[in-house]
Amino acid sequence: MADIDIRIEGKIGRITLNRPDALNALTYDMAMAVEAALDEWENEARVAMVLIDAAGDKAFCAGGDIQQLYDTASAGDYEYGRRFWRDEYRMNAKLANFPKPFIALMQGFTMGGGVGVSCHGSHRVVCENSQIAMPECGIGLVPDVGGSLLLARAPGRLGEYLGTTGTRMNAGDAIYCGFADYYIPRENWTELTALLVKTGDWTQVDAMAQPAPDSPLASQQSEIDAFFGGETANDILRGMDSSEWCTKAEKAMRRSCPLSVAATIELVHRARALDQIDLVLAQEYRFTHRSASDGDFVEGIRAAIIDKDRNPQWTIPTLEKVTDLKVTQMLMPLGADELKIEEKRMKIGFIGLGNMGGPMARNLVDAGHTVVGFDVAGVTIEGVETATTAALAATDADVVITMLPNGAILRSVADEVIPAMRSGACLVDCSTVDVESARAVSDQANAAGLQAVDAPVSGGIGGAEAGTLTFMAGGTEAAFAVANPLFGIMGQKAVHCGDSGAGQAAKICNNMILGATMIVTCEAFALADKLGLDRQKMFDVASTSSGSSWSMNAYCPAPGVGPTSPSDNDYKPGFAAELMLKDLNLAQQAAEAADAATPLGQHARDMYAAFVENGGMGMDFSAMLPHLSNQKHDT
Ligand code: NAD
């Protein structure tokens, strides 16, 4: 199973972190999948609430996955980390503002990035082994992901104490400090989850809660308030006495990065005044943005995680040497780089700007996304930046969409764009192609660390222009969640049909029905003519009787009858006969590979092949009616 499992179960949207061997550390892709799920479920009527939980006993989520942050930052590339934090913080803000109940089940360690995907929820549940902490100062960062706001809201000066010492909270502490709301023993979580799935009613959480265990931190409140009330970290140190409590607290503060500790005191103070998640995240981002270039982040990770020597050489070696000016410099506004919590605008590569792809790309631009397009025919679309190769259109894109004539072309384009795409990006193929090509391209993308969705469409050129297409999608839940907001722009409906290839399977099965029903609808009109039955009468009966179908009711092949259709426009396509032939061929190819009996589908293919060869090329597929009208019974 993937690192994160996102699905709708009964009445809840459920997110399960699934990297137990890595203590469920949150990768960039996992954070983005959480955001995509929140976007999707915010207005999804089937989802009454969201529940996040995690596999394994040791940890809900021990923090952000810092390996790649370290690799890039230590090579002098600071932009990867900055984007990671920017995008993660936007997700944190969405979670904090999520309009439906958000339940978090937090066993074992919940730290740093793990706090950001849980503790901003509305119903936060802890159990007997829960341990929550914000230990970022230990690696040269500051409490982030909105954690400084949670710290600021903790009673008295607990925020300053927890943020600078990294002290772990047990279940009782977490509730006392405002990082959790409910204590429910772990053995009851399966029952709780089943009840929530069934009812979608958050009061079930209330009903199962038990009295919280004691909070050791609550009993230290008076010391914490007395010694952690200083204006700066150095004020706090100067106020300490020689008691055992102070000695221990000071030792914990001095174990961490001095610059981070000093900045944390300032951040918690600012968060208390701002008291608003997006403003607080912007303050935290000022530090994290500078943490590798001007701070100790790389050295902190090296000492704690990479070399594990626990002997960091901080740029400012002691707290006493950290000046107020240096703290101010780390927290100064970033100008154009300041964090803006706003809707994610995606960078989209679009390959194949033909009859369908052109208007689809245009609709994405109109919705505010940046689209870079490429078409071998040199097509340009207003508002779409033009790249000179498919690989250039795909470089650095969040999503690459392909809208191409067939599977062979899709495979060759995939060979070019997949190596150019950034890790974690999503390849969405909307062309109609064979199931085998769809699965091969999806496998190739997955092997390269990408997500993939096959999402052929129905609705034709009119639907592409009006943004009313229907998407039939195959791929993982996480990949679908990334692509779905774009389907919502280019279309009016998207059905997640299953794993990769399922979208193409749905498309060719649907179009086999369409091809066969169109032929028999045309045959019925041709027969009605010869029986002297008026076409309008025939329509009036069949469109409201058991002979009704989309071909009859919505796309009537008889001119002047039923709603306006290509038959009223001299059978100009619409949906060209040769495209219908292509889809019927794909259906037969799949039927042969799967050993499925489709005699009528096969005959429909043969009839469209004969039609395309005998004058049907370039005509709408409903022009089968005049074609049949000219034939006799035995032909
Ligand atoms: P189209 O021929 O108008 O567009 C295809 C575009 O792909 C062309 O502009 C072509 O130049 C470009 N192209 C070809 N090879 C390329 C390559 N190697 N790199 C970049 N660009 C390349 O076709 P369309 O009508 O837009 O259909 C596209 C897909 O959508 C097809 O798979 C079709 O079956 C499917 N479809 C079409 C309709 C419809 O009504 N037209 C409806 C549903 C699905």
Side-chain angles (χ1 to χ4, degrees), residues 350-360 374-379 390 402-407 409-410 412-413 416 429-433 456-462 469 507 511 574-576 579 582-583 586:
F350 207 115
I351 321 289
L353 299 167
N355 289 324
M356 297 292 287
M360 288 163 74
F374 172 72
D375 190 298
V376 269
V379 184
T402 46
M403 196 53 174
L404 298 162
N406 58 48
I409 293 178
L410 170 66
S412 78
V413 168
E416 207 186 324
D429 175 47
C430 294
S431 334
T432 304
V433 302
V457 303
S458 79
I461 298 165
L469 295 169
K507 169 78 184 173
N511 278 21
F575 183 43
L579 286 180
K582 169 191 158 185
D583 292 359
L586 291 176

Side-chain angles (χ1 to χ4, degrees), residues 18 522 566:
N18 190 37
C522 294

Side-chain angles (χ1 to χ4, degrees), residues 197-265:
V197 166
K198 193 166 159 214
T199 63
D201 174 10
W202 66 263
T203 63
Q204 303 289 347
V205 186
D206 249 16
M208 283 187 113
Q210 296 187 10
D214 285 344
S215 161
L217 285 172
S219 64
Q220 300 171 53
Q221 184 80 61
S222 58
E223 286 93 339
I224 288 168
D225 290 351
F227 294 109
F228 275 80
E231 194 51 40
T232 65
N234 277 312
D235 281 348
I236 291 172
L237 283 184
R238 279 189 291 272
M240 296 269 185
D241 63 22
S242 57
S243 64
E244 195 186 329
W245 191 92
C246 282
T247 309
K248 212 170 139 205
E250 183 175 336
K251 204 169 153 203
M253 280 174 85
R254 289 193 185 278
R255 254 200 304 268
S256 288
C257 168
L259 179 59
S260 297
V261 167
T264 295
I265 295 296

